[in-house]
Amino acid sequence: EVLQEILARVVRDAGGAVPTAPRLTCVSRAFRDAVTGEPEMFWVDVDLSSGFCAPTDARIRSLIGRGAWASVRSLNLSGCSKLSDSTLKLLGTSCSKIENLTISGGNFTKDGLLQFANNLAIAGTGLKSIHIDLSAPKMTPSDALGVLQ
């Protein structure tokens, strides 16, 4: 509890969201428990694009099971080459408050992105912006446009 209070104070003093929340869960069990215990504080602006804690399907699914993604408003999946379409689909049902999404360089296919978008639509999110880097190896420009239509 002390660690959670300290982290909460740091977040408040920093002005809110911590884009590194997923990386903090890799530090230790105590950090993981503190960060996943307050999803509305730590899981608003999530940036998985870099760092020592590369996201994997298993790690993301574990955090989905804890409800960590319910408060996410901004999600950056750039360079998440270890994530599959099935995890992307699960994120679509778990990020019900998402407003901004960035995807580039991953292994996501057009079908995975379509299912993700459909799940977001079903959840009734207020998605305002989506950025897809067309250099992703499994996506062509026409695939990306198909997802956005």
Side-chain angles (χ1 to χ4, degrees), residues 17-34:
V18 177
T20 58
R23 285 181 236 145
L24 290 174
T25 65
C26 297
V27 173
S28 70
R29 223 175 251 163
F31 268 73
R32 183 188 64 223
D33 294 344

Side-chain angles (χ1 to χ4, degrees), residues 51-118:
F52 68 92
C53 188
T56 62
D57 286 338
R59 187 170 287 140
I60 299 300
R61 288 172 190 220
S62 170
L63 293 168
I64 287 172
R66 295 170 192 223
W69 298 95
S71 300
V72 172
R73 295 196 186 282
S74 178
L75 179 60
N76 185 344
L77 297 174
S78 298
C80 293
S81 61
K82 295 182 179 181
L83 297 182
S84 67
D85 282 346
S86 62
T87 297
L88 186 63
K89 293 172 194 176
L90 285 173
L91 284 170
T93 60
S94 303
C95 297
S96 59
K97 296 181 180 178
I98 195 164
E99 296 174 355
N100 303 297
L101 174 67
T102 302
I103 296 176
S104 71
N107 286 320
F108 308 119
T109 65
K110 175 184 175 184
D111 292 337
L113 284 171
L114 282 171
Q115 188 61 50
F116 177 80
N118 287 337

